[in-house]
Amino acid sequence: MTLTRPHRLKTLFGAPSFTHAEADPSPRTGIDRAIELARKAEALKITGFFTADLLQADPEGLAGSTGVQDPLITLAALSQHTQHIGLVATLSTTFYDPFNIARLVGTLDHVSGGRAAWNAVTSSVGEENFGTDLPSPEARYERAREFIEILNALYDANPGSVARRTASGSVVVDPKKLGRIDYKGKYFNVAGPLNIAPLPQGRPVQWQAGQSEAGIRLGAELAEVVYTSQPTLEQAIAFVTRLRSLARAAGRVEGAPFIMNSLHSVIGESEADTARRLRERAERLDYDRGRLRLADMLGGGVDLQGLPLDRPLPASLLPELDEVNRRRGRVEIFLGFAKQGLTLRELIQRAEDTGHWHVAGTPEQIAAKVEERFNAGVVNVLTLHGLGNPDQEDLLVNGLIPELRKRNLLDDDYIEGGFRANLGLPALQDAQTWHAARTA
């Protein structure tokens, strides 16, 4: 069986923030701005909102985790001011428990009318807030596998006939029809049943992020969409070839899972304007702070202070990948950059995009690069940036997005069937063959 590749690219925006700031004229300032941006995104027919999440306050502000709001509450609020746009919550399988998350994400699917998804991450930071050491990547991914299997089993165990609407409009759930799962694993023992009604989508869409070897295997076997950082087309082709090979070996249908990239773009009105924007971006960089960010991209155990900006990093400073316990996929990207001979200055500039795909140019030039990657079959879902940014929003909304539509790369409207249908994923009765929930 072959999974039909979506005829068009699916798009995501980062979910807008509801955060209140001290000088705001009203407690609703952040709320009103978030609602306005959400409605703009839906008017543009963007496929979904994506929320990243890190469970710590980063003292240096390197990871953008300070001030981040809870994904599920943010998306639940946005769901009440939108009708069609999907809602992807990033959630930690290392620091949360599966039964709680099954209830929370399941409730999001109910309150949004079938638009929920969750992005399983194993977390590379935050252990200090949960009274534990950070497990090895291998242990984190073992736990993540059990976590995903449990959620799938809990959702699948409750048949649609569990819930019945009465003449008064209320809903009655028959507890005798709720299904136990009696899951016994290395990390979790969960009896079930899940005590919420079956979801509008049956299951939320399953995202997964992680590109170490263990992460790739997990995504190949259990994810519907894999979020990966691939800075070049050649790297993207190599990654997708390996991922899909592992997926086939696991019995997945051809073309599964879908691939998501985040496009970090600098959009200019012309080539000269793009060059000016890039030059000003480089001039704004704080290279002392940039050394700290780059050290973080290299696993956090590297001291870059005092090194000359215009020379490559000494090979003796570079970590061994298998000795890194945090974000191995990201470390591998930056080790590759360093081994190409990029100078410290160039590496710091690359670190501003944290290893993601970066393209600068006019809307036409950027759209051509997107089209190239889409036609190569290595991206199905793409995060676009710039909404709410005064410097880039007009060029995004009135430049890049129309150019992508002109090339017939984007959907013109939503379809019925919830988030899974709008992503072009198969209906759940077919998707269930992708996920073997272990119950013993």
Side-chain angles (χ1 to χ4, degrees), residues 84 150 196 245 296 300 324:
H84 305 286
I150 289 166
I196 63 172
S245 174
D296 184 57
V324 174

Side-chain angles (χ1 to χ4, degrees), residues 50 208-212 216 226-240 243 259-264 297 327-334 337 350 353-358 373 378-379 381-383 385:
F50 186 88
Q208 183 265 347
Q211 54 193 71
S212 65
I216 294 170
V226 167
Y227 178 17
T228 176
S229 302
Q230 300 299 330
T232 69
L233 178 61
E234 292 72 23
Q235 288 170 298
I237 290 171
F239 177 87
V240 173
L243 180 76
I259 308 299
M260 171 189 163
N261 291 167
S262 180
L263 174 63
H264 289 218
M297 295 295 104
R327 303 174 81 182
R328 279 186 186 170
R330 197 60 48 86
V331 173
E332 185 174 14
I333 288 171
F334 278 87
F337 288 155
R350 295 282 182 100
D353 295 302
T354 64
H356 288 289
W357 181 25
H358 177 265
R373 196 171 279 214
V378 295
V379 62
V381 184
L382 188 67
T383 300
H385 299 272

Side-chain angles (χ1 to χ4, degrees), residues 33 37 40 386-393 396:
R33 179 178 183 273
L37 291 175
K40 280 185 181 180
L387 190 70
N389 177 350
D391 186 57
Q392 290 283 278
E393 182 174 317
L396 172 70

Side-chain angles (χ1 to χ4, degrees), residues 100-121:
N100 294 38
I101 293 302
R103 296 184 76 242
L104 290 165
V105 179
T107 301
L108 178 63
D109 203 54
H110 278 283
V111 303
S112 66
R115 292 185 279 148
W118 76 285
N119 176 37
V121 298

